[in-house]
Amino acid sequence: MKLTDEMKDLIKVQLAYIATVDEQGNPNIGPKRTMRVLDDTHLIFCENTNGQHHANIKANGKISVAFVDREANKGFRFTGKATSYTDQAKMDLAKELVGTAPKAAAVIIDIEKMYTLDSGPLAGKLIEE
């Protein structure tokens, strides 16, 4: 499954919200202003707060990312595995794509599934290849 041009365009202009879970299954949700497209199957962001999301990612990697255009009632949710990197190559890659260096880590998300968040009967439905 690959990101479409429509998805990439939405990601460029809308704020990302990520959801992670800790080892006990407790959810955490919040914005990630630095989320960018890395390639057709990966997203990347700068981890700057080194807070609960980052701890959850390092513990189990489970993540969902949502982007919604409220005016158009259109959006997407991506689920997959997030991996935290602190090596210089990945930190530089994040800086190049985001425009600022990560404070704690570069996080790369391997997208495993995609869902529509469009308003109406397709809301929350898995997007098949």
Side-chain angles (χ1 to χ4, degrees):
M1 172 113 307
K2 293 183 179 182
L3 293 168
T4 65
D5 289 339
E6 178 185 26
M7 292 170 181
K8 290 176 184 178
D9 289 344
L10 189 70
I11 291 167
K12 283 180 191 175
V13 297
Q14 297 300 330
L15 178 62
Y17 280 85
I18 68 170
T20 61
V21 294
D22 66 17
E23 290 298 307
Q24 291 75 43
N26 298 307
N28 192 36
I29 188 166
K32 285 296 176 189
R33 291 166 184 82
T34 61
M35 189 72 67
R36 303 291 188 272
V37 172
L38 177 59
D39 59 34
D40 287 343
T41 59
H42 296 89
L43 300 172
I44 188 171
F45 69 90
C46 296
E47 176 52 53
N48 293 323
T49 64
N50 204 20
Q52 189 61 53
H53 280 304
H54 197 214
N56 294 349
I57 288 166
K58 290 189 290 185
N60 60 51
K62 294 178 182 179
I63 194 165
S64 285
V65 183
F67 297 89
V68 176
D69 179 342
R70 287 183 63 186
E71 300 302 315
N73 286 321
K74 188 155 199 59
F76 299 98
R77 177 169 43 100
F78 307 102
T79 63
K81 169 98 167 131
T83 306
S84 174
Y85 297 94
T86 56
D87 63 277
Q88 197 60 51
K90 297 287 191 311
M91 298 287 271
D92 289 345
L93 177 61
K95 180 180 179 181
E96 176 185 328
L97 291 171
V98 175
T100 186
K103 291 181 177 78
V107 176
I108 296 177
I109 301 166
D110 181 18
I111 300 169
E112 296 169 352
K113 293 183 180 179
M114 301 178 182
Y115 301 84
T116 178
L117 292 180
D118 294 2
S119 184
L122 296 179
K125 300 293 183 188
L126 180 66
I127 299 171
E128 302 289 342
E129 277 192 76

